Amino acid sequence: QVQLVESGGGMVQAGGSLRLSCAASGGAFSDYRMGWFRQAPGQERRFVATITRSGGGTIYADSVKGRFTISRDNAKNTVYLQMNSLKPEDTAVYYCAAGLAWSISSNDYRYWGQGTQVTVSS
């Protein structure tokens, strides 16, 4: 099975930047489409970004488009989420996920990381 471990979360002031990393093991990383989701307290888990197996295609949620960039390095079995111009409303637990379908729905992703907390202060 695929194991996913996120890192890079933390606390940052509004307008700052963070880069999240998700390291995969136990499976063929390049076989999976990768996604990032986030969940704030009391809210549903929401789509953030996804990337194709080769890294040639991406989709972003409207709320992060132009500020966040998803990328992947298949040689390192790692997917990244570069987050710029962070806003307090970006505060959430961020989850890395792996799936076999092109989807922005969390229920189409089979494997999930444990999550990493991102807190943006105002």
Side-chain angles (χ1 to χ4, degrees), residues 11-116:
M11 181 179 293
V12 65
Q13 294 186 52
S17 298
L18 287 172
R19 186 170 74 167
L20 306 183
S21 298
C22 174
S25 62
F29 178 77
S30 61
D31 287 347
Y32 294 92
R33 301 180 185 273
M34 302 297 297
W36 287 96
F37 295 78
R38 65 187 183 185
Q39 187 169 19
Q43 299 184 9
E44 300 288 334
R45 189 169 298 185
R46 302 290 298 274
F47 167 77
V48 176
T50 188
I51 189 166
T52 59
R53 294 184 300 274
S54 67
T58 57
I59 300 175
Y60 297 93
D62 289 343
S63 58
V64 307
K65 192 172 185 178
R67 300 187 297 120
F68 290 12
T69 303
I70 186 172
S71 61
R72 67 190 295 164
D73 187 339
N74 288 346
K76 296 182 178 180
N77 291 347
T78 302
V79 63
Y80 305 94
L81 185 68
Q82 177 67 46
M83 304 184 294
N84 298 326
S85 301
L86 283 162
K87 304 175 181 179
E89 50 263 45
D90 295 319
T91 295
V93 177
Y94 283 71
Y95 297 90
C96 176
L100 296 176
W102 179 255
S103 179
I104 63 171
S105 175
S106 62
N107 57 29
D108 288 324
Y109 289 80
R110 182 174 181 178
Y111 302 106
W112 294 84
Q114 81 290 342
T116 186

